[in-house]
Amino acid sequence: SETFTLPWSVQIGDVQLPEGRCDVTWSEAFGTQVQMTIKGEGKKTATVNATVVQGKTTYTGPVTTVVDGVRHLKGFRTKDATFTFVDAK
């Protein structure tokens, strides 16, 4: 598990997480697939499937993209792995 700070509010599928601290946990990997649970401040929670790639990264934290003015959370990077959501909008 990891704790990250979201510098902005983000959308994950149908869930809007506010900016601030979020706790991220994930299941045991099945091949390169994991299920991640992201719990934001205010008890908002999103669960998504993700692909995990093991390996050192220099950037750690959330990975986002902006579509039509809405910031979407696309994954997370930890110091040892990159998690990319596979079923989030």
Side-chain angles (χ1 to χ4, degrees):
S1 69
E2 294 274 337
T3 299
F4 293 101
T5 299
L6 293 172
W8 329 268
S9 62
V10 294
Q11 190 78 24
I12 306 172
D14 296 330
V15 176
Q16 178 80 29
L17 292 179
E19 68 180 88
R21 178 185 160 154
C22 67
D23 296 312
V24 182
T25 59
W26 53 90
S27 65
E28 186 75 27
F30 182 75
T32 60
Q33 301 297 306
V34 296
Q35 186 173 64
M36 300 188 81
T37 301
I38 302 102
K39 185 175 183 180
E41 292 184 351
K43 308 255 189 238
K44 291 263 187 165
T45 301
T47 301
V48 295
N49 294 320
T51 300
V52 60
V53 176
Q54 299 292 330
K56 300 283 185 196
T57 60
T58 55
Y59 168 79
T60 60
V63 177
T64 65
T65 188
V66 177
V67 178
D68 296 328
V70 177
R71 187 172 296 275
H72 295 269
L73 187 62
K74 305 305 282 181
F76 285 97
R77 291 186 182 142
T78 67
K79 63 183 175 97
D80 296 317
T82 299
F83 298 89
T84 303
F85 302 158
V86 295
D87 60 357
K89 294 178 183 174

